[in-house]
Amino acid sequence: MKPAHSANHKMQLIGSLTSPFVRKVRVVAAEKHIDYELVLDAPWSADTRVPDYNPLGKVPVWVLEDGKTLFDSRVIVEYLDGISPVAHLLPKDARARIAVRRWEALADGICDAAALVYLERKRPEEQRNPEWIARQLGKVRAALEVLSEELDKRDWLYEGGFSLAEIAVGCALGYLEFRFEGEIDWRRDHPNLSELYDRLMQRPSFKDTAPVA
Ligand SMILES: N[C@@H](CCC(=O)N[C@@H](CS)C(=O)NCC(=O)O)C(=O)O
């Protein structure tokens, strides 16, 4: 794996402005006031350099000062939470931490399934598999249902307050709004998630990272 740059450089985040996983990392870095340089690279473009930094060819990739790289988004956010004492986003208590990570896994799973649908629909019509699309959309709907039920009437998923759980869920909701507006109406079906997203969007970390085509 080639180092991204010479030693003792500012940390970098390699990613796109549409990826919900990149957004999750950007929100965490903003909440924790961590300084870095955003390097835009779309992994689907012909001239992408992402595979030089991550053999999986996926963003986000975080480049450390010494040129070493971190991926995927779950590893990066844990790293970022650990290097700065500002605004702990992962609880110290083991049970609470696992609960937050489980919500993150649900939110990331929504993004994985939704991204597969988006990509499948970009294929020529005769190559698309409607059963595959329906299967993935079923996962998105089921996960939204569980998140909404578990949030219930509370302000935050994690009772300790704003955490990585809401960040991951907010990024998933924002991605659905961006790519599936009018099709997956999570605002109508789950008013509590709608209210949560509106509240998150009042934070500069979310407002400044809304997906753009
Ligand atoms: N589990 C990974 C998922 C990352 C991911 O799927 N990124 C997409 C963009 S949203 C990507 O880079 N896809 C390119 C590819 O699959 O080749 C994470 O949490 O970082």
Side-chain angles (χ1 to χ4, degrees), residues 105-125:
L106 268 175
D108 284 9
I110 288 176
C111 299
D112 283 330
L116 287 175
V117 172
Y118 177 71
L119 292 171
E120 184 75 8
R121 284 179 174 163
K122 280 178 64 174
R123 289 153 67 94
E125 190 153 7

mmCIF file of all heavy atoms in Angstrom, residues 105-125:
data_model
loop_
_atom_site.group_PDB
_atom_site.id
_atom_site.type_symbol
_atom_site.label_atom_id
_atom_site.label_comp_id
_atom_site.label_asym_id
_atom_site.label_seq_id
_atom_site.Cartn_x
_atom_site.Cartn_y
_atom_site.Cartn_z
ATOM 1 N N ALA A 105 -24.645 0.090 13.363
ATOM 2 C CA ALA A 105 -24.680 -1.026 12.399
ATOM 3 C C ALA A 105 -26.002 -1.038 11.633
ATOM 4 O O ALA A 105 -26.034 -1.298 10.420
ATOM 5 C CB ALA A 105 -24.470 -2.351 13.132
ATOM 6 N N LEU A 106 -27.097 -0.738 12.327
ATOM 7 C CA LEU A 106 -28.393 -0.670 11.645
ATOM 8 C C LEU A 106 -28.395 0.456 10.610
ATOM 9 O O LEU A 106 -28.841 0.284 9.476
ATOM 10 C CB LEU A 106 -29.510 -0.390 12.669
ATOM 11 C CG LEU A 106 -30.215 -1.582 13.296
ATOM 12 C CD1 LEU A 106 -31.198 -1.096 14.356
ATOM 13 C CD2 LEU A 106 -30.965 -2.387 12.229
ATOM 14 N N ALA A 107 -27.882 1.611 11.024
ATOM 15 C CA ALA A 107 -27.858 2.762 10.111
ATOM 16 C C ALA A 107 -26.941 2.480 8.921
ATOM 17 O O ALA A 107 -27.310 2.732 7.761
ATOM 18 C CB ALA A 107 -27.378 4.003 10.866
ATOM 19 N N ASP A 108 -25.765 1.925 9.187
ATOM 20 C CA ASP A 108 -24.842 1.600 8.090
ATOM 21 C C ASP A 108 -25.458 0.543 7.172
ATOM 22 O O ASP A 108 -25.262 0.573 5.958
ATOM 23 C CB ASP A 108 -23.516 1.057 8.641
ATOM 24 C CG ASP A 108 -22.624 2.158 9.205
ATOM 25 O OD1 ASP A 108 -23.090 3.303 9.335
ATOM 26 O OD2 ASP A 108 -21.454 1.861 9.520
ATOM 27 N N GLY A 109 -26.196 -0.383 7.768
ATOM 28 C CA GLY A 109 -26.859 -1.425 6.969
ATOM 29 C C GLY A 109 -27.906 -0.830 6.034
ATOM 30 O O GLY A 109 -28.080 -1.303 4.901
ATOM 31 N N ILE A 110 -28.605 0.199 6.509
ATOM 32 C CA ILE A 110 -29.558 0.908 5.630
ATOM 33 C C ILE A 110 -28.800 1.494 4.437
ATOM 34 O O ILE A 110 -29.217 1.364 3.286
ATOM 35 C CB ILE A 110 -30.281 2.028 6.422
ATOM 36 C CG1 ILE A 110 -31.271 1.407 7.415
ATOM 37 C CG2 ILE A 110 -30.980 3.004 5.477
ATOM 38 C CD1 ILE A 110 -31.968 2.419 8.311
ATOM 39 N N CYS A 111 -27.662 2.102 4.737
ATOM 40 C CA CYS A 111 -26.880 2.733 3.655
ATOM 41 C C CYS A 111 -26.347 1.684 2.684
ATOM 42 O O CYS A 111 -26.373 1.889 1.469
ATOM 43 C CB CYS A 111 -25.723 3.539 4.231
ATOM 44 S SG CYS A 111 -26.267 4.869 5.303
ATOM 45 N N ASP A 112 -25.863 0.560 3.211
ATOM 46 C CA ASP A 112 -25.360 -0.505 2.329
ATOM 47 C C ASP A 112 -26.467 -0.976 1.383
ATOM 48 O O ASP A 112 -26.255 -1.087 0.172
ATOM 49 C CB ASP A 112 -24.875 -1.709 3.155
ATOM 50 C CG ASP A 112 -23.512 -1.475 3.795
ATOM 51 O OD1 ASP A 112 -22.696 -0.723 3.228
ATOM 52 O OD2 ASP A 112 -23.263 -2.053 4.877
ATOM 53 N N ALA A 113 -27.638 -1.269 1.953
ATOM 54 C CA ALA A 113 -28.739 -1.801 1.135
ATOM 55 C C ALA A 113 -29.222 -0.746 0.133
ATOM 56 O O ALA A 113 -29.450 -1.049 -1.047
ATOM 57 C CB ALA A 113 -29.885 -2.258 2.040
ATOM 58 N N ALA A 114 -29.361 0.492 0.592
ATOM 59 C CA ALA A 114 -29.855 1.562 -0.287
ATOM 60 C C ALA A 114 -28.849 1.823 -1.412
ATOM 61 O O ALA A 114 -29.239 2.036 -2.567
ATOM 62 C CB ALA A 114 -30.111 2.831 0.520
ATOM 63 N N ALA A 115 -27.558 1.785 -1.089
ATOM 64 C CA ALA A 115 -26.542 2.022 -2.125
ATOM 65 C C ALA A 115 -26.585 0.905 -3.174
ATOM 66 O O ALA A 115 -26.410 1.159 -4.368
ATOM 67 C CB ALA A 115 -25.155 2.123 -1.499
ATOM 68 N N LEU A 116 -26.855 -0.333 -2.738
ATOM 69 C CA LEU A 116 -26.956 -1.434 -3.706
ATOM 70 C C LEU A 116 -28.128 -1.210 -4.659
ATOM 71 O O LEU A 116 -28.027 -1.486 -5.856
ATOM 72 C CB LEU A 116 -27.121 -2.772 -2.969
ATOM 73 C CG LEU A 116 -25.865 -3.303 -2.271
ATOM 74 C CD1 LEU A 116 -26.192 -4.564 -1.476
ATOM 75 C CD2 LEU A 116 -24.761 -3.588 -3.285
ATOM 76 N N VAL A 117 -29.229 -0.702 -4.125
ATOM 77 C CA VAL A 117 -30.392 -0.415 -4.977
ATOM 78 C C VAL A 117 -30.029 0.676 -5.989
ATOM 79 O O VAL A 117 -30.309 0.572 -7.192
ATOM 80 C CB VAL A 117 -31.605 0.020 -4.124
ATOM 81 C CG1 VAL A 117 -32.748 0.506 -5.013
ATOM 82 C CG2 VAL A 117 -32.059 -1.130 -3.229
ATOM 83 N N TYR A 118 -29.402 1.718 -5.484
ATOM 84 C CA TYR A 118 -29.021 2.836 -6.364
ATOM 85 C C TYR A 118 -28.117 2.341 -7.498
ATOM 86 O O TYR A 118 -28.312 2.685 -8.666
ATOM 87 C CB TYR A 118 -28.323 3.908 -5.510
ATOM 88 C CG TYR A 118 -27.826 5.068 -6.311
ATOM 89 C CD1 TYR A 118 -28.709 5.993 -6.879
ATOM 90 C CD2 TYR A 118 -26.460 5.225 -6.539
ATOM 91 C CE1 TYR A 118 -28.244 7.048 -7.635
ATOM 92 C CE2 TYR A 118 -25.989 6.286 -7.302
ATOM 93 C CZ TYR A 118 -26.877 7.187 -7.844
ATOM 94 O OH TYR A 118 -26.415 8.239 -8.597
ATOM 95 N N LEU A 119 -27.160 1.495 -7.151
ATOM 96 C CA LEU A 119 -26.217 0.998 -8.167
ATOM 97 C C LEU A 119 -26.910 0.053 -9.147
ATOM 98 O O LEU A 119 -26.658 0.093 -10.359
ATOM 99 C CB LEU A 119 -25.059 0.256 -7.480
ATOM 100 C CG LEU A 119 -24.132 1.143 -6.659
ATOM 101 C CD1 LEU A 119 -23.153 0.296 -5.850
ATOM 102 C CD2 LEU A 119 -23.375 2.103 -7.573
ATOM 103 N N GLU A 120 -27.781 -0.802 -8.613
ATOM 104 C CA GLU A 120 -28.495 -1.756 -9.487
ATOM 105 C C GLU A 120 -29.332 -0.995 -10.527
ATOM 106 O O GLU A 120 -29.397 -1.382 -11.690
ATOM 107 C CB GLU A 120 -29.391 -2.653 -8.614
ATOM 108 C CG GLU A 120 -30.116 -3.761 -9.341
ATOM 109 C CD GLU A 120 -29.220 -4.941 -9.722
ATOM 110 O OE1 GLU A 120 -28.051 -4.971 -9.297
ATOM 111 O OE2 GLU A 120 -29.707 -5.807 -10.467
ATOM 112 N N ARG A 121 -29.918 0.118 -10.090
ATOM 113 C CA ARG A 121 -30.770 0.886 -11.005
ATOM 114 C C ARG A 121 -29.952 1.646 -12.048
ATOM 115 O O ARG A 121 -30.503 2.131 -13.028
ATOM 116 C CB ARG A 121 -31.635 1.852 -10.207
ATOM 117 C CG ARG A 121 -32.773 1.133 -9.524
ATOM 118 C CD ARG A 121 -33.596 2.087 -8.729
ATOM 119 N NE ARG A 121 -34.766 1.414 -8.190
ATOM 120 C CZ ARG A 121 -35.489 1.896 -7.197
ATOM 121 N NH1 ARG A 121 -35.161 3.051 -6.632
ATOM 122 N NH2 ARG A 121 -36.541 1.234 -6.765
ATOM 123 N N LYS A 122 -28.668 1.745 -11.821
ATOM 124 C CA LYS A 122 -27.828 2.424 -12.811
ATOM 125 C C LYS A 122 -27.414 1.463 -13.937
ATOM 126 O O LYS A 122 -26.874 1.888 -14.939
ATOM 127 C CB LYS A 122 -26.583 3.011 -12.139
ATOM 128 C CG LYS A 122 -26.930 4.318 -11.449
ATOM 129 C CD LYS A 122 -25.846 5.003 -10.717
ATOM 130 C CE LYS A 122 -24.675 5.509 -11.417
ATOM 131 N NZ LYS A 122 -23.768 6.285 -10.584
ATOM 132 N N ARG A 123 -27.665 0.173 -13.723
ATOM 133 C CA ARG A 123 -27.329 -0.804 -14.764
ATOM 134 C C ARG A 123 -28.352 -0.710 -15.894
ATOM 135 O O ARG A 123 -29.475 -0.253 -15.675
ATOM 136 C CB ARG A 123 -27.360 -2.225 -14.169
ATOM 137 C CG ARG A 123 -26.206 -2.497 -13.221
ATOM 138 C CD ARG A 123 -26.574 -3.549 -12.204
ATOM 139 N NE ARG A 123 -26.777 -4.858 -12.785
ATOM 140 C CZ ARG A 123 -25.839 -5.807 -12.882
ATOM 141 N NH1 ARG A 123 -24.623 -5.577 -12.415
ATOM 142 N NH2 ARG A 123 -26.104 -6.971 -13.406
ATOM 143 N N PRO A 124 -27.979 -1.171 -17.104
ATOM 144 C CA PRO A 124 -28.963 -1.186 -18.192
ATOM 145 C C PRO A 124 -30.193 -1.989 -17.761
ATOM 146 O O PRO A 124 -30.044 -2.988 -17.045
ATOM 147 C CB PRO A 124 -28.232 -1.894 -19.340
ATOM 148 C CG PRO A 124 -26.789 -1.885 -18.978
ATOM 149 C CD PRO A 124 -26.686 -1.730 -17.490
ATOM 150 N N GLU A 125 -31.367 -1.551 -18.194
ATOM 151 C CA GLU A 125 -32.619 -2.111 -17.690
ATOM 152 C C GLU A 125 -32.660 -3.647 -17.752
ATOM 153 O O GLU A 125 -33.099 -4.309 -16.813
ATOM 154 C CB GLU A 125 -33.802 -1.522 -18.445
ATOM 155 C CG GLU A 125 -35.103 -1.903 -17.788
ATOM 156 C CD GLU A 125 -36.221 -0.918 -18.033
ATOM 157 O OE1 GLU A 125 -36.039 0.024 -18.822
ATOM 158 O OE2 GLU A 125 -37.278 -1.133 -17.416
#
